[in-house]
């Protein structure tokens, strides 16, 4: 339960990180709060040669609203989101999600950027943010750019981040006050990684996401169409029927819990 | 090896450590503060919970080098802390421990509950305790102890 030997470099700026990534020799990992990579290194599932520590890099902690957009820095912790620092309806949705992530002592360190970059299929933010839509902000050798959250995660622990790029934050929609949202996580004990997640947001558009799959979370367009058409509920049987049309590799039990998660998320949105 | 300066329980400590050393092992093996316990070593059981800059964190999944420049409070550092004094007494009165292995982490988590969530009811206390595993008590005594301190602090 001790990590393999690695080199630790304290970064002082994003430019530092980009340069270190560009000059990387061997496996290099960026360390945010370390609450996912830390356990994986203790279990030796991850054995990076070098760790680039973001804890001294400035400019990653901001939360700000401009018009109908919200900007959230990569190093914002789950605890800050749980405590209501993100404003408005988007904030209420994110507060609900954050409060169900692991435990307070982990939420005090774990970051939203780290969670999305790490891309554990069972983690909350990759699914929750895909339902929200918006963009991931990254910096690499080629400068700064935005990548849509739609399609950002491509598989388990695999994202659209290039090998020389670092995630610096998110550009998210500020949801209107009448937007409905519902989030349902299937797990046996509070704070555990999810066995299944259903996330729905019904505002200007309807988005429904099936998460905690074997791979990346995915949008369920047939459900979105029903919600856009005015549906305010979806039976588990109907959700099952729709999900069985997706090539998600679910066995019978997995199909059931993912259907339940989506059905209950919609139930919560219209409760 | 990396240089490290930490304030542990009010004491200024400098050291040169391997990057892979966890904060928990630094506290126990290098500082000989063995009140912090290690259970699962991957952030699930809560036994290793300490305060970093006043907030509870898992010392088993926090590298010592990352704690550079921070203030750490371990279970040995709460002698003059009012909520912790109340919790110690309440744990004693409510039989909130048996073997005591989870207790240091349980007390640090409990202190966070009574200071951060003054209005917590039993359901909330149980929810907040989900990250600290106890294999002896069935949590009944622990929950009672925390609720009694919440009540004390309210009045």
């Amino acid at each position: 339960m001790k990590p393999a030997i690695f080199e630790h470099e304290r970064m002082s700026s994003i430019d530092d990180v980009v340069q270190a990534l560009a000059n990387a020799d061997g496996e290099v990992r960026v360390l945010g709060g370390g609450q996912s990579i830390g356990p994986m290194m203790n279990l030796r599932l991850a054995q990076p040669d070098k760790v680039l520590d973001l804890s001294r890099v400035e400019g990653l902690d901001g939360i700000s609203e401009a018009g109908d957009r919200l900007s959230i820095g990569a190093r914002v912790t789950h605890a800050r989101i749980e405590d209501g620092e993100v404003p408005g309806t988007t904030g209420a949705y994110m507060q609900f999600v954050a409060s169900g992530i692991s435990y307070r002592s982990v939420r005090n360190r774990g970051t939203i950027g780290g969670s999305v970059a790490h891309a554990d299929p069972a983690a909350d933010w990759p699914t929750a943010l895909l339902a929200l839509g918006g963009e991931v902000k990254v910096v690499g050798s080629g400068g700064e750019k935005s990548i849509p959250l739609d399609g950002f995660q491509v598989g388990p622990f695999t994202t659209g981040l290039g090998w020389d790029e670092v995630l610096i934050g998110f550009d998210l929609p500020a949801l209107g006050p009448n937007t409905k949202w519902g989030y349902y996580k299937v797990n046996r004990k509070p704070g555990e990684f999810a066995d299944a997640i259903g996330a729905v947001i019904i505002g200007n558009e309807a988005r429904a996401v099936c998460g905690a799959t074997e791979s990346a979370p995915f949008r369920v367009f047939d459900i979105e169409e029903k919600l856009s058409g005015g549906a305010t509920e979806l039976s588990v049987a109907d959700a099952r029927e729709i999900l069985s049309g997706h090539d998600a590799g679910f066995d019978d039990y997995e199909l059931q819990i993912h259907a339940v998660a989506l059905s209950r998320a919609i139930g919560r949105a219209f409760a | 090896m990396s240089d490290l300066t930490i304030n542990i329980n009010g004491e200024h400590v400098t050291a040169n450590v391997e990057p892979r050393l966890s904060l928990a092992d630094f506290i126990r093996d290098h500082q000989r503060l063995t009140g912090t316990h290690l259970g699962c070593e991957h952030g699930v059981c809560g036994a290793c919970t300490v305060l970093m800059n006043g907030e509870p964190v898992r010392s088993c999944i926090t590298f010592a080098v990352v704690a550079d420049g921070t203030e750490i409070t371990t279970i040995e550092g709460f002698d003059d802390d009012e909520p912790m004094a109340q919790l110690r007494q309440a744990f004693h009165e409510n039989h909130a421990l048996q073997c005591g292995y989870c207790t240091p982490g349980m007390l640090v988590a409990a202190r966070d509950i009574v200071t951060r969530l003054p209005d917590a009811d039993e359901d909330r206390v149980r929810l907040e305790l989900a990250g600290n595993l106890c294999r002896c008590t069935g949590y009944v005594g622990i929950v009672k102890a925390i609720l009694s301190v919440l009540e004390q602090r309210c009045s």
Side-chain angles (χ1 to χ4, degrees):
Chain A
M1 297 305 250
K2 310 293 179 192
I5 289 173
F6 65 91
E7 213 179 306
H8 171 264
E9 274 186 33
R10 205 167 276 136
M11 301 286 104
S12 54
S13 69
I14 286 294
D15 287 347
D16 255 15
V17 183
V18 172
Q19 206 170 0
L21 287 170
N23 298 330
D25 184 21
E27 191 191 339
V28 177
R29 298 295 293 255
V30 175
L31 185 73
Q35 302 300 283
S36 294
I37 194 75
M40 285 183 72
M41 286 169 71
N42 279 7
L43 295 164
R44 300 208 179 187
L45 294 169
Q47 301 190 16
D49 299 296
K50 190 184 279 187
V51 165
L52 308 177
D53 181 358
L54 291 186
S55 54
R56 297 278 167 84
V57 176
E58 283 179 25
L60 299 175
D61 299 315
I63 299 173
S64 62
E65 193 177 11
D68 61 355
R69 305 303 292 178
L70 274 168
S71 172
I72 296 180
R75 212 177 43 206
V76 169
T77 60
H78 315 316
R80 286 179 61 198
I81 298 170
E82 178 189 20
D83 290 346
E85 286 195 38
V86 181
T89 305
T90 302
Y93 168 68
M94 290 178 72
Q95 185 174 26
F96 182 87
V97 174
S99 65
I101 299 173
S102 191
Y103 318 109
R104 183 71 184 187
S105 53
V106 170
R107 297 197 288 271
N108 280 329
R109 302 269 321 142
T111 67
I112 186 168
S115 170
V116 171
H118 187 66
D120 187 327
D124 289 78
W125 289 126
T127 297
L129 295 188
L130 179 60
L132 204 47
E135 288 171 334
V136 178
K137 292 191 277 191
V138 310
V139 177
S141 308
E144 186 169 338
K145 67 174 182 185
S146 292
I147 306 174
L149 274 156
D150 273 290
F152 179 69
Q153 185 170 346
V154 293
F157 305 101
T158 312
T159 68
L161 270 180
W163 61 273
D164 62 343
E165 290 173 336
V166 57
L167 195 161
I168 59 162
F170 302 91
D171 180 38
L172 304 173
L175 301 173
N178 297 324
T179 303
K180 305 274 189 200
W181 56 266
Y183 189 82
Y184 194 93
K185 185 170 162 181
V186 176
N187 49 1
R188 287 174 303 167
K189 172 177 166 291
E192 275 189 337
F193 275 115
D195 294 324
I197 303 174
V200 295
I201 291 185
I202 308 106
N204 295 336
E205 56 167 348
R207 294 172 71 96
V209 176
C210 176
T213 68
E214 297 288 302
S215 182
F218 60 89
R219 287 174 65 187
V220 189
F221 297 115
D222 286 351
I223 293 180
E224 292 182 359
E225 215 168 281
K226 281 179 186 287
L227 294 169
S228 294
T232 56
E233 58 183 352
L234 182 72
S235 70
V236 173
D238 286 348
R240 232 187 116 101
E241 175 76 31
I242 290 168
L243 285 181
S244 59
H246 285 259
D247 184 23
F250 291 148
D251 63 23
D252 188 63
Y253 170 71
E254 288 163 347
L255 186 60
Q256 180 70 14
I257 57 175
H258 284 83
V260 165
L262 272 162
S263 173
R264 291 187 184 171
I266 294 166
R268 281 184 171 173
F270 292 99
Chain B
M1 302 292 277
S2 297
D3 286 324
L4 168 70
T5 304
I6 306 188
N7 183 310
I8 299 188
N9 302 333
E11 209 169 304
H12 200 66
V13 175
T14 58
N16 186 251
V17 301
E18 262 195 272
R20 65 170 167 165
L21 183 74
S22 72
L23 176 60
D25 285 340
F26 179 71
I27 290 167
R28 287 179 54 83
D29 300 345
H30 294 227
Q31 299 305 309
R32 299 285 180 218
L33 293 167
T34 53
T36 298
H37 291 169
L38 280 169
C40 71
E41 290 190 72
H42 61 284
V44 174
C45 80
C48 71
T49 309
V50 299
L51 295 187
M52 178 189 272
N53 296 332
E55 292 180 331
V57 303
R58 303 285 208 227
S59 60
C60 73
I61 52 171
T62 302
F63 294 118
V65 287
V66 172
D68 178 52
T70 64
E71 272 183 33
I72 301 296
T73 312
T74 69
I75 194 65
E76 292 91 343
F78 290 100
D79 283 358
D80 304 318
D81 185 79
E82 195 202 20
M84 196 58 101
Q86 292 170 325
L87 283 163
R88 272 197 302 267
Q89 185 62 27
F91 268 54
H92 169 71
E93 285 168 5
N94 290 283
H95 192 70
L97 64 150
Q98 185 172 306
C99 85
Y101 201 85
C102 71
T103 310
M106 206 52 95
L107 281 167
V108 175
R111 185 186 179 282
D112 177 56
I113 296 171
V114 301
T115 53
R116 183 170 55 88
L117 304 166
D119 303 322
D121 59 10
E122 180 177 341
D123 283 353
R124 185 65 193 267
V125 169
R126 285 185 174 273
L127 183 67
E128 293 292 326
L129 278 183
N132 288 74
L133 303 184
C134 170
R135 303 281 85 147
C136 305
T137 69
Y139 304 98
V140 174
I142 298 170
V143 172
K144 268 173 72 182
I146 295 172
L147 287 171
S148 78
V149 172
L150 278 164
E151 202 173 313
Q152 245 179 78
R153 293 177 66 80
C154 244
S155 55

